């Protein structure tokens, strides 16, 4: 069994089927990517995994434990952290305080003695925001705000990290830095599940890719096989998937 | 059986009024997103206007009825929409709430202003109370009118919303205003229509209620709470369910009143008998709240807000505390003993406002029942205090526990439900709990006795650490009357609570509250129990209010139910928000304004000591004083940080320059000593002199700070406008000047330091 198992999740909004029996998994030490055109259901799947939406049917397991009945905060306490595509930062607080709130909560609810409160500055440094640490987050441009979200998620010392389009709004250099960071996190033993439109970045960093289209998984495999998969190429018709990396 | 039938008819006639009131509320809420706490007050205005036309000026009833229904109703609706609510689009739920609560308050004030509440305003039943018989049952034409009106409203709304273009546009604009606009609907027009119809319906309900009663502005306005309960059954959305809710509520009320024995000696009848009839709608409202499904966690994407909650430093907080305490001590020799008590109560109000700061300012939650918690504190203090500070602890514990119980059902839901639940709780206390006569709990020997048989309790004065606040005589060389001692106790209490609030803001709990105010979704995904956190802060806030109430009771030496009425508590909420919920200074500001405005109790202070004028005049301005917290609240939205942040920005430069600080402090001390010594000088001149010193000091401080480079000079107003040329055309219509560049730089924040 993988750390994260998504088992035949379906999600309907009224008559609209946003997710249709989606099954996927993510493992520690690997970067798993979830790609697909806009509106494919990627963000919806993240919301289901972390409990902000309850699915119409199907189950989510973390480490063989069913999450389906757990509230979002209970899931977070089991080691699940995420970032948001539409940023959900605490704009009344500084970068430091954003990370601090998460670290303080983790120190409170963790039973493993991990206390990330002393690591706030190193976590902020890790995402490259040391210069901005005492700025209010609503003063930051979108790209850097995304990095704050990652720092905040890391401060909960998660086992599974869900990143929703973390590279949008970053410049090339920052994207590259993000790629390194993701590889490092995987090397540390984290399971990383990333939704990203930057195909270059996805191909570079991921070990395994799931492709979602109209709420269905249409393909999965390593980057090389995804690049040549006919169903994927059809879904991405006209996009940049075929560019050599 | 025939009794049962006639009670049913009476109940249905009442249900008709609730249903009409509630349907207007639901209509405006679903169309515009504004939950109008003033809906009942609008109905009340309709009732008074009808009374004026019909009974004072003697117009025929149908004419008066139609003028209000199709004239005043839509007119008030359109004026409110254009004047107030249109400007509220895109503001936070809290601001909208304050505005409608303020409107409720202002309307009651205006009604009492126009129609003197001392006079008795009787009305006659519709159709002279005549009736007809159907299968042996007597039905009055008034009942027929009420039920008939409700049926017409139900059918009319159904046709409007589903069969007409305007109605369909109204339903569309609920979901998505911009989208509806793209599809050719005109949301502003829909909103205006909704307000016009909503106000007409409110006034219709108000007028139908008039038949046969004496008009009283406050009770008619609060009748709306019964309609809230009906609207809640329809989840603030479904009109058919709202009508059903109205019928159930009114029938339960009527049957209860009819079949539960009144005035019996049995214990249960003593507390369930009479007064609970009026609390039944609220009990139903709470049951419905419990049954509603939990709301989704709120998130909103990254917003740029104008609100700002700076981290208070301990140094700054201590300075604030020292100034407040010194001010209180300095006031003692200046004012008469009873005025010391007035000032003491000002701090009491300040504590109640402070209790809201962590809840509203940090946590983004709302409570309209702080006065009820304060009342619980005061009653506890009277029963268990006996002059001991332990009583204060009990007061906090009780108020905190009750707070938690009230909040629990509402916290799972979105903000407006919490506002409703707290308002309903306050009215519940007014209508039932505070009115309970002493009674024995069934099957026990425990007697529950809140306000005794007299309806009023005495509260003993505090003895703390050997300081007897009820005694006279010298302490540390100062001659202190018992009233002076209350002032000291209250000032210390205020400062202590202020420190607690500062400590909360600085703690990890405070950071969590600010985070929760911003994005609940993000809080949950880092492992925060959002409901638990809300519960904790709500309960803390209730406990602080309980402490404030206990201290106010101590200062007054007594407490009664009238002290803690729902309506009396609203100004605390409104002025607190206007004063600024992010700062402890805002609480002091609110305490002072309320004391000055609301009770005009400050008048005797000014009068005896400073002005030497006659007794406090009764007149338009004391009525204005009653209504003005409402007006202030309505004006909110210009500066969400409150009035104190404006003042602070103005006077901050004093602290930036040693010279200015020295001039101001030496000046004030000198003036104070002179006031005590020289007969010709009085407290009035002292206050004026202090204000002048502060203004001059601020100017000196500003120029010093600019010279030192610690403060940016005010932008030169002459370069503000790009000479009237639009930015896009600068450089095309006319050459770019240095002034343009300077202005652009300052707008972009490219100051000298930023570039260096
Ligand atoms: N709360 C919702 N209500 C109705 N439809 C929704 C909701 N959230 C998402 N959808 C729909 O579900 C589909 C998937 O959306 P989303 O998960 O955001 O896609 P992606 O992240 O892949 O771009 C879209 O068609 C979207 O309109
Ligand atoms: Mg998405």
């Amino acid at each position: 069994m993988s750390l994260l198992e998504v088992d035949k999740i379906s999600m309907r909004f009224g008559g609209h089927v946003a997710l249709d029996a989606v099954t996927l998994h993510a493992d520690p030490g690997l970067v798993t990517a979830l790609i697909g055109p806009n509106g494919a259901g990627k963000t919806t799947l993240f919301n289901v995994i972390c409990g902000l939406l309850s699915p119409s049917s199907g189950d989510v397991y973390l480490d063989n434990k069913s999450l389906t009945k757990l509230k979002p905060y209970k899931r977070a306490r089991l080691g699940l952290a995420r970032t948001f595509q539409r940023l959900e930062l605490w704009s009344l607080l500084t970068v430091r305080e954003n990370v601090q709130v998460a670290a303080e909560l983790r120190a409170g609810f963790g039973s493993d003695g991990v206390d990330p409160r002393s690591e706030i500055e190193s976590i902020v440094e890790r995402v490259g925001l040391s210069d901005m640490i005492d700025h209010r987050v609503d003063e930051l441009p979108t790209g850097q705000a995304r990095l704050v979200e990652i720092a905040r998620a890391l401060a909960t010392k998660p086992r599974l990290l869900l990143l929703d389009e973390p590279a949008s709004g970053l410049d090339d250099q920052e994207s590259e830095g993000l790629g390194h960071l993701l590889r490092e996190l995987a090397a540390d033993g984290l399971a990383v599940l990333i939704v990203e439109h930057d195909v270059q970045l996805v191909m570079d960093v991921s070990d395994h890719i799931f492709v979602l289209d109209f709420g269905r998984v249409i393909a999965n495999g390593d980057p090389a096989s995804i690049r040549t998969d006919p169903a994927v190429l059809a879904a991405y018709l006209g996009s940049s998937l075929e560019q050599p990396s | 059986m025939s009794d049962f039938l006639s009670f049913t008819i009476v109940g249905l006639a009442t249900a008709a009024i609730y249903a009409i009131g509630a349907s207007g509320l639901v209509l405006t809420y679903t169309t515009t997103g504004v939950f109008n706490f003033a809906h009942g007050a609008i109905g009340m205005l309709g009732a008074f206007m009808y009374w004026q036309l019909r009974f004072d000026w003697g117009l025929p009833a149908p004419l008066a009825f139609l003028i209000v229904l199709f004239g005043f109703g839509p007119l008030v609706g359109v004026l409110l929409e254009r004047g107030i609510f249109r400007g509220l689009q895109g503001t936070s739920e809290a601001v909208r709430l304050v505005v409608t609560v303020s409107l409720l308050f202002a309307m009651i004030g205006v009604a009492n202003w126009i129609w003197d509440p001392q006079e008795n305003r009787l009305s006659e039943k519709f159709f002279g109370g005549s009736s007809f018989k159907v299968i042996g049952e007597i039905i009055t034409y008034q009942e027929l009118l009420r039920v008939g009106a409700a049926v017409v409203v139900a059918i009319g709304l159904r046709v409007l919303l589903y069969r007409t273009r305007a109605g369909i546009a109204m339903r569309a604009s609920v979901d998505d205003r911009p989208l509806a606009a793209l599809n050719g609907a005109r949301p502003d027009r829909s909103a205006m229509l909704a307000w016009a119809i909503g106000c007409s319906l409110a006034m219709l309900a108000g007028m139908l209620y008039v038949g046969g009663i004496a008009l009283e502005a406050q009770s008619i306005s609060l009748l709306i709470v019964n309609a809230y309960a009906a609207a809640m059954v329809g989840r603030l959305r479904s009109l058919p369910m709202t009508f059903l809710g109205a019928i159930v509520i009114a029938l339960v009320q009527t049957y209860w009143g009819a079949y539960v024995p009144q005035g019996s000696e049995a214990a249960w009848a003593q507390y369930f008998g009479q007064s609970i009839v009026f609390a039944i709608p609220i009990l139903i409202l709470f049951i419905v709240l419990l049954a509603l499904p939990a709301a989704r966690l709120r998130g909103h994407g990254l917003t740029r807000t104008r609100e700002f909650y700076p981290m208070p430093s301990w140094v700054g907080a201590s300075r604030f505390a020292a100034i407040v305490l010194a001010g209180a001590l300095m006031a003692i020799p200046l004012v008469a003993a009873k005025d010391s008590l007035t000032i003491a109560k000002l701090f009491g109000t300040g504590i109640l406002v402070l209790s809201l700061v962590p809840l509203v300012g940090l946590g983004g939650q709302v409570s309209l029942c702080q006065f009820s918690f304060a009342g619980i504190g005061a009653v506890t203090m009277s029963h268990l205090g006996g002059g001991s500070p332990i009583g204060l602890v009990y007061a906090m514990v009780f108020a905190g526990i009750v707070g938690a119980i009230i909040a629990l059902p509402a916290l799972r839901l979105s903000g407006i439900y919490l506002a409703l639940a707290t308002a309903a709780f306050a009215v519940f206390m007014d209508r039932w709990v505070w009115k309970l006569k002493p009674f024995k709990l069934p099957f026990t020997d425990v007697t529950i006795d809140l306000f005794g048989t007299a309806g009023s309790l005495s509260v003993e004065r505090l003895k703390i650490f050997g300081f007897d606040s009820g005694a006279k005589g010298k302490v540390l060389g100062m001659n202190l009357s018992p009233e002076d001692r209350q002032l000291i106790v209250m000032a210390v209490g205020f400062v202590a609570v202020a420190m607690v609030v500062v400590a909360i803001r600085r703690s990890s709990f405070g950071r969590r509250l600010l985070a929760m105010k911003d994005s609940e979704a993000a809080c949950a995904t880092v492992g925060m129990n959002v409901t638990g956190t809300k519960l904790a802060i709500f309960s803390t806030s209730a406990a602080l209010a309980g402490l404030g109430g206990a201290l106010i009771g101590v200062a007054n030496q007594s407490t009664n139910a009238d002290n803690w009425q729902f309506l009396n508590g609203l100004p605390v909420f409104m002025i607190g928000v206007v004063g600024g919920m992010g700062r402890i200074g805002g609480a002091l500001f609110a305490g002072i304004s309320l004391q000055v405005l609301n009770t005009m109790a400050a008048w005797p202070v000014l009068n005896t000591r400073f002005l030497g004028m006659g007794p406090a005049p009764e007149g338009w301005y004391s009525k204005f004083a009653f209504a003005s917290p409402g007006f202030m609240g309505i004006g909110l939205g210009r500066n969400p940080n409150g009035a104190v942040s404006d003042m602070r920005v103005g006077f901050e430069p004093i602290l930036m320059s040693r010279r200015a600080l020295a001039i101001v402090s030496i000046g004030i001390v000198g003036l104070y000593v002179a006031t005590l010594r020289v007969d010709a000088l009085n407290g009035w001149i002292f206050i004026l002199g202090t204000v002048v010193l502060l203004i001059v000091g601020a100017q000196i401080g500003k120029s010093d700070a600019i010279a030192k480079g610690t403060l940016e000079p005010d932008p030169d107003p002459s370069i503000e406008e790009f000479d009237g040329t639009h930015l896009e055309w600068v450089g095309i219509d006319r050459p770019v000047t240095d002034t343009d560049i300077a202005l652009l730089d300052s707008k972009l924040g490219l100051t000298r330091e930023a570039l260096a």
Side-chain angles (χ1 to χ4, degrees), chain A residues 13 16 18 37-45 85, chain B residues 296:
Chain A
F13 295 111
H16 177 73
N38 269 326
K42 307 178 296 289
T43 299
T44 304
L45 183 64
Q85 179 182 358
Chain B
R296 257 209 233 134

Side-chain angles (χ1 to χ4, degrees), chain B residues 16-254:
Chain B
I17 297 175
Y18 294 171
I20 295 171
S23 59
L25 189 72
V26 171
L27 186 76
T28 45
Y29 179 63
T30 51
T31 311
T32 67
V34 176
F35 187 89
N36 186 11
F37 270 85
H39 194 72
I42 293 168
M44 176 274 296
L45 283 185
F48 272 86
M49 286 172 185
Y50 174 74
W51 180 90
Q52 185 67 42
L53 295 172
R54 170 77 185 88
F55 296 105
D56 203 25
W57 293 344
L59 260 55
L63 185 61
F65 202 82
L66 293 178
I67 290 178
V68 174
L69 186 59
F70 295 110
F72 288 136
L75 182 71
V76 169
V78 168
L79 289 180
L80 288 179
E81 199 275 335
R82 301 227 68 161
I84 298 176
F85 291 109
R86 187 170 290 188
L88 289 181
Q89 272 166 41
T91 57
S92 71
E93 200 168 46
V95 169
R96 286 186 300 215
L97 178 78
V98 175
V99 171
T100 61
V101 168
S102 304
L103 195 60
L104 158 69
F105 203 79
M107 282 182 165
I108 293 177
V110 167
N112 283 338
W113 194 339
I114 302 176
W115 293 283
D116 184 352
Q118 305 301 325
E119 273 172 43
N120 209 358
R121 287 195 175 69
L122 285 174
S123 62
E124 286 161 28
K125 289 200 168 179
F126 290 95
F127 307 104
S130 58
S131 57
F132 60 98
K133 260 194 177 177
V134 184
I135 27 174
E137 276 309 318
I138 296 174
I139 300 176
T140 62
Y141 283 104
Q142 172 162 306
E143 284 160 354
L144 188 69
L145 175 71
R146 287 176 174 169
V147 175
V151 172
V152 170
V153 166
I155 296 172
L157 284 178
R158 174 83 202 177
V159 171
L160 172 76
L161 289 176
Y162 289 85
R163 292 287 148 78
T164 65
R165 281 186 66 108
I168 290 164
M170 272 162 83
R171 287 198 295 144
S173 61
V174 187
D175 302 324
D176 194 337
R177 263 180 115 85
L179 186 67
L182 278 182
N183 288 334
R186 291 163 63 183
D188 280 345
R189 249 181 56 180
S190 293
M192 198 187 284
L193 190 62
W195 280 107
I197 298 174
C199 287
S200 282
L201 290 175
M203 291 195 177
L204 177 60
M207 286 190 291
L208 289 173
Y209 182 70
V210 164
I213 58 148
L215 274 73
E216 207 274 307
Q218 307 199 358
S219 60
I220 301 184
S221 300
L222 291 186
L223 206 65
I224 194 66
V225 174
N226 302 2
Y228 293 157
M232 200 64 77
V233 174
R235 291 195 189 177
L236 301 181
R237 254 183 325 218
S238 153
L239 286 173
M241 290 301 284
T242 301
F243 271 72
L244 183 69
I247 292 172
V248 169
I249 290 164
L251 286 182
V252 172
Q253 253 189 318
T254 313

